[in-house]
Amino acid sequence: MGVTLIMPFDDLRSFLLALEKQNELRRIPFEVDPYLEITEFADRAVKQNCPALLFEHPKASSVPLAINLFASMRRIEMAFGVSNVEEIAARIAGFLQMQKPEGLIDTLKMLPKLKEVSSAFPRTVNRGPCKEVILRDKLSLDKFPILHCWPGDGGRFITLPMVFSRNPETGKRNCGMYRMQVFDPTTTGMHWQKHKQGAEHYRRHVAKGEQVRMPVAVAIGADPATMFSAVLPLPPEIDEMLFAGFLRGKPVDMVKCETSDLEVPANAEIVLEGYVSSGELRREGPFGDHTGFYSLDDDYPVFHIECITHRKNPIYAATIVGPPPMEDFYMGKAIERIFLPLMRLQLPEVRDICMPAEGIFHNLILISIRKSYPGQARKVMHAIWGLGQAMFSKVIIVVDEDVDVQDVKEVAWKALNNIDPQRDIEFALGPIDSLDHSSRMPNYGSKMGVDATTKWQAEGFTRRWPSVITMSDDVKQRVDNLWKRAGLDRT
Ligand SMILES: Cc1cc2nc3c(=O)[nH]c(=O)nc-3n(C[C@H](O)[C@H](O)[C@H](O)COP(=O)(O)O)c2cc1C
Ligand SMILES: [Mn+2]
């Protein structure tokens, strides 16, 4: 069967329809409780490879809830209109190639790619479906089926928001996905962790003096490429909405907020407009988190909602995180694939990279390199510790290029054989992900790099290094036949 190329999606609902046509969406027509029950559904659904779920009647809400939209590679491919996420990586690699045209022919070949980029810039439009209903008073989050995810959670959390803010110094826009705990009908927490762009914008606002209100707008539910872009670990210089336009091959239409100069995707289902005031912090959490553990409660800024706009019949989009694999594992996997060409710009020796589900993104990075000089594995570790959000990488295992890092068993087998622990392990101190509960202090601790590559004389290794055992091809062929003769072939 061919792949449906209904690219780009105009909004969340057209994506849901496309999923449904491909049997990738199951409607749940009866009442299910956003308090824990939807989590149990969503958790089982990911682990049993079920379709995305659309709860048409969440208990105590007239707003349907969509979940697990990105909880399989197939659905992520559909979100981007590709048959394999590697196609996106290839487009990015092609775009990067563009920077070094060798001659006239190459320059001409570049033109379509330039067009691809120029047509990715977000457009400001005057109206959009997200403004079908505009509420300035009698505001309440209560009408939305916001999940209470896990029994030990501190409350209900908005789990799939696109949080928009601007850097007050540069005016640059950022969109990040940061969970929001509902404190009351018009206030929530704003869980942007220290290292994230939202937190940086907030620090810049706070630095301006006391009592400064920082405008923040939150969009919930949009076309899938735009939603996904909120998660991407892009450098601060790159606007997520530009990247979303590049991914979907069509500009993202942005519409101005009612109460601030921020802009939000015009096709959003729900928009919460408001502000975070400097200095105001409130206890947030605990929350059953990506790690599979509860992250502990802590102080975070407070978001005050001043205006809610939404479609006439909005759909609320959510996710849950918890013991792996969850939806976020698949999102992380797509990011791993999409960002490989970008990583190779800085680290050309990198062949492949894998973040196994159990490592919750950055707890375990398996990376294969083409080793050309002594100490290169260690250079790669340190480079990764210095590369954007990859700084959080807790354990990095570097192997030679003949190891398939997507095969965790092969990595374990070869790496464990190849290391002299005292010699090959490198510890470093540095920033740690805010969700890490084991580091000596919040946000600060140690990381470990394991050089599991073949050791060279030039690295002080003077013994001989053995090769991996393989059978010769002619013998394999002969035994293929004999195997059948012996009646051992069960295929
Ligand atoms: C479902 C989900 C929930 C997330 N929740 C948070 C969160 O609460 N706080 C946070 O700092 N990052 C959270 N993240 C990770 C950020 O979205 C991610 O690091 C993103 O790249 C941040 O963007 P920024 O660099 O523009 O700040 C979450 C990611 C996902 C997929
Ligand atoms: Mn960003």
Side-chain angles (χ1 to χ4, degrees), residues 174 177-179 191 193 196-197 231-232 240 319 389:
N174 190 67
M177 185 164 290
Y178 320 116
R179 72 171 188 238
H191 189 261
Q193 295 153 7
K196 309 298 172 73
Q197 284 311 301
V231 181
L232 299 176
E240 279 82 4
T319 187
Q389 289 187 43

Side-chain angles (χ1 to χ4, degrees), residues 114-372:
L114 278 177
K115 193 169 156 281
E116 185 170 56
V117 169
S118 65
S119 67
F121 280 92
R123 288 189 306 212
T124 306
V125 296
N126 290 326
R127 48 177 55 229
C130 71
K131 306 271 192 188
E132 282 168 6
V133 176
I134 300 177
L135 301 164
R136 285 172 169 277
D137 34 49
K138 295 212 196 100
L139 298 178
S140 176
L141 288 173
D142 287 346
K143 67 174 169 186
F144 304 116
I146 300 171
L147 299 178
H148 186 122
C149 299
W150 296 101
D153 283 3
R156 295 190 296 147
F157 286 81
I158 299 173
T159 51
L160 206 56
M162 290 165 269
V163 178
F164 289 89
S165 59
R166 276 189 200 285
N167 183 320
E169 283 167 9
T170 62
K172 283 232 177 261
R173 166 175 39 226
N174 190 67
C175 172
M177 185 164 290
Y178 320 116
R179 72 171 188 238
M180 296 156 60
Q181 179 173 359
V182 178
F183 293 135
D184 66 48
T186 58
T187 24
T188 76
M190 186 51 80
H191 189 261
W192 44 45
Q193 295 153 7
K194 276 202 162 41
H195 317 91
K196 309 298 172 73
Q197 284 311 301
E200 172 62 9
H201 293 184
Y202 177 67
R203 279 190 294 271
R204 301 271 62 85
H205 270 275
V206 172
K208 281 178 143 185
E210 266 168 45
Q211 303 305 326
V212 183
R213 287 182 172 192
M214 166 175 162
V216 172
V218 176
I220 303 169
D223 68 276
T226 302
M227 284 170 79
F228 200 92
S229 72
V231 181
L232 299 176
L234 295 170
E237 288 308 303
I238 299 182
D239 179 5
E240 279 82 4
M241 295 302 104
L242 169 65
F243 208 86
F246 175 77
L247 286 175
R248 70 202 285 264
K250 188 182 171 188
V252 181
D253 285 345
M254 302 294 288
V255 64
K256 211 169 92 49
C257 284
E258 299 299 302
T259 57
S260 73
D261 287 335
L262 291 171
E263 292 173 337
V264 285
N267 73 34
E269 295 289 325
I270 299 164
V271 177
L272 314 175
E273 299 182 13
Y275 64 89
V276 168
S277 43
S278 52
E280 185 189 8
L281 301 178
R282 189 164 161 177
R283 211 70 185 159
E284 193 265 9
F287 178 68
D289 226 315
H290 303 277
T291 55
F293 291 78
Y294 285 102
S295 49
L296 304 175
D297 55 333
D298 201 358
D299 290 337
Y300 275 89
V302 181
F303 175 57
H304 297 271
I305 301 170
E306 292 186 300
C307 175
I308 297 181
T309 78
H310 60 77
R311 287 176 177 247
K312 274 204 197 90
N313 297 300
I315 300 169
Y316 178 79
T319 187
I320 53 149
V321 294
M326 284 286 194
E327 180 168 21
D328 57 333
F329 162 69
Y330 294 97
M331 300 171 92
K333 198 75 199 164
I335 292 173
E336 173 196 300
R337 297 293 90 199
I338 294 171
F339 278 76
L340 182 59
L342 291 166
M343 179 178 265
R344 291 179 65 171
L345 263 191
Q346 229 154 319
L347 295 167
E349 62 269 68
V350 169
R351 311 315 295 168
D352 198 7
I353 177 167
C354 175
M355 297 184 280
E358 295 74 16
I360 319 293
F361 319 121
H362 45 257
N363 282 347
L364 181 60
I365 313 281
L366 311 177
I367 188 156
S368 56
I369 63 166
R370 175 171 295 168
K371 182 160 145 182
S372 313

